[in-house]
Amino acid sequence: MTSELSSIIDFIRYGASRFSAAGLTFGHSHDNPIDEATHLVLAALHLPPDLPPAYGAGKLVAEEREAILALIEKRIEERVPVAYLVGETWFAGLKFKSDRRALVPRSPIAELIESGFTPWLDDRHVERALDLCTGSGCIGIAMAEYNPDWQVDLVDVSDDALSLANENIVFQHVEDRVRAVKSDLFAGVQGEVYDLIVSNPPYVTHAEYAAMPAEYSHEPVLGLTSGDDGLDITLRILDEAADHLSEDGLLIVEVGDSERALVELLPRVPFVWLEFKVGPMGIFALERRDLVEHAADIAALRAARN
């Protein structure tokens, strides 16, 4: 095998073919076998994802060939996400460390960050931002990278996730503007007020989790599931966020396929469902004043579920 495959493009093609034939699930940053194989091969060779095409003809030495073939086989046999196999992935154009301590970064919120949250922040002054349920820290760190004048807090209840987030803070050299805080949602940031709160909380239902492909079994369950309708944590966020938003503050939360259930539970709350290049992705925006106006409905719903 190693005598027949020699170049970078050979191994990308081979990996893509093997992945496709094996019927793998592509849901961790990539949606097709070619991009998945490209990520694996280039990361294993310590090369950037935007490598000029001319380098695709570059020959691999025997040690590199054997290492890549082993990773390809592990991806197929154990269904481990590529980001975990190579220890890194890309989010909002930035490289992050990735391992089993937190979910693989893949939120559509990256598009909002890259676009400057337009039009939502066009006429809004932001000094402090919060990444709630931060996991690897990718959302909050990316916000800080794209907005050098922001101070950003990363919050998570998981010690494992926070250790990875702290490593990514150092990796991206944003220690002066980003801090990680252990907190069960807002419990550890009492008295703190932010102009922008962004959250990609767990929102997978128990039934959905039971049916998920094997790739997701390698990720921490704590970062995925949130009750029978996927909304246990989101309702807590809605109930508590107003106390931590400035007067003109904005809340942005990803709930994925739990969007319909949320709208049915809180029909009077004016959720604005954001559009992305590929269409709606189950991410809403809410002004602080809307949270305050509908606080009674939100609190009553949360109390009824406890």
Side-chain angles (χ1 to χ4, degrees):
M1 180 71 67
T2 54
S3 64
E4 296 178 72
L5 302 173
S6 61
S7 69
I8 292 174
I9 199 67
D10 283 347
F11 280 87
I12 291 175
R13 197 284 307 160
Y14 174 76
S17 295
R18 291 293 312 281
F19 293 166
S20 183
L24 300 185
T25 293
F26 309 110
H28 294 86
S29 302
H30 308 297
D31 60 6
N32 64 82
I34 294 176
D35 287 346
E36 185 104 339
T38 300
H39 181 179
L40 185 151
V41 172
L42 293 182
L45 295 173
H46 308 287
L47 295 172
D50 57 351
L51 185 75
Y55 287 90
K59 307 296 184 184
L60 278 63
V61 301
E63 183 179 356
E64 292 171 331
R65 297 177 190 178
E66 292 168 4
I68 289 174
L69 287 174
L71 289 173
I72 290 172
E73 293 308 310
K74 189 167 186 177
R75 175 70 182 94
I76 293 170
E77 293 174 7
E78 301 180 23
R79 296 303 203 258
V80 180
V82 165
Y84 289 173
L85 288 175
V86 298
E88 66 181 45
T89 194
W90 292 76
F91 179 83
L94 303 169
K95 185 164 74 172
F96 289 91
K97 295 183 178 182
S98 181
D99 59 40
R100 296 177 191 235
R101 286 175 288 176
L103 301 188
V104 176
R106 55 182 178 272
S107 172
I109 290 172
E111 185 178 319
L112 296 177
I113 297 170
E114 291 176 300
S115 68
F117 291 92
T118 188
W120 297 99
L121 300 186
D122 289 356
D123 299 312
R124 197 184 308 261
H125 179 67
V126 175
E127 291 185 1
R128 301 192 69 205
L130 173 65
D131 174 10
L132 196 61
C133 305
T134 190
S136 66
C138 62
I139 289 175
I141 293 171
M143 289 196 297
E145 287 279 20
Y146 279 78
N147 302 276
D149 55 338
W150 291 10
Q151 293 290 323
V152 181
D153 283 352
L154 315 180
V155 160
D156 207 290
V157 71
S158 165
D159 288 324
D160 283 344
L162 287 171
S163 67
L164 179 58
N166 273 309
E167 289 179 20
N168 277 318
I169 288 172
V170 174
F171 186 66
Q172 290 293 341
H173 308 292
V174 291
E175 301 96 319
D176 60 328
R177 295 181 288 115
V178 181
R179 67 167 181 162
V181 180
K182 182 174 182 179
S183 176
D184 182 3
L185 295 186
F186 297 103
V189 288
Q190 290 300 316
E192 302 285 356
V193 175
Y194 304 92
D195 305 301
L196 174 66
I197 297 175
V198 179
S199 184
N200 178 18
Y203 56 75
V204 175
T205 69
H206 292 316
E208 289 170 341
Y209 183 76
M212 291 180 92
E215 279 82 353
Y216 295 90
S217 67
H218 296 278
E219 296 186 294
V221 177
L222 182 66
L224 288 169
T225 62
S226 185
D228 291 335
D229 59 5
L231 293 173
D232 286 358
I233 293 176
T234 296
L235 291 176
R236 290 178 57 197
I237 293 172
L238 289 171
D239 191 32
E240 301 171 16
D243 291 337
H244 298 275
L245 282 167
S246 58
E247 185 174 351
D248 195 32
L250 182 71
L251 172 69
I252 295 176
V253 180
E254 177 175 343
V255 296
D257 291 338
S258 295
E259 171 184 342
R260 180 178 298 179
L262 182 60
V263 172
E264 291 176 354
L265 287 171
L266 293 168
R268 297 198 296 176
V269 176
F271 298 106
V272 178
W273 297 97
L274 308 186
E275 288 287 330
F276 294 81
K277 293 175 182 177
V278 296
M281 298 294 289
I283 297 176
F284 68 79
L286 268 180
E287 303 279 354
R288 180 185 183 276
R289 57 179 174 270
D290 294 322
L291 289 167
V292 172
E293 182 178 349
H294 297 277
D297 286 349
I298 296 168
L301 175 61
R302 179 181 174 185
R305 292 163 62 99
N306 290 337

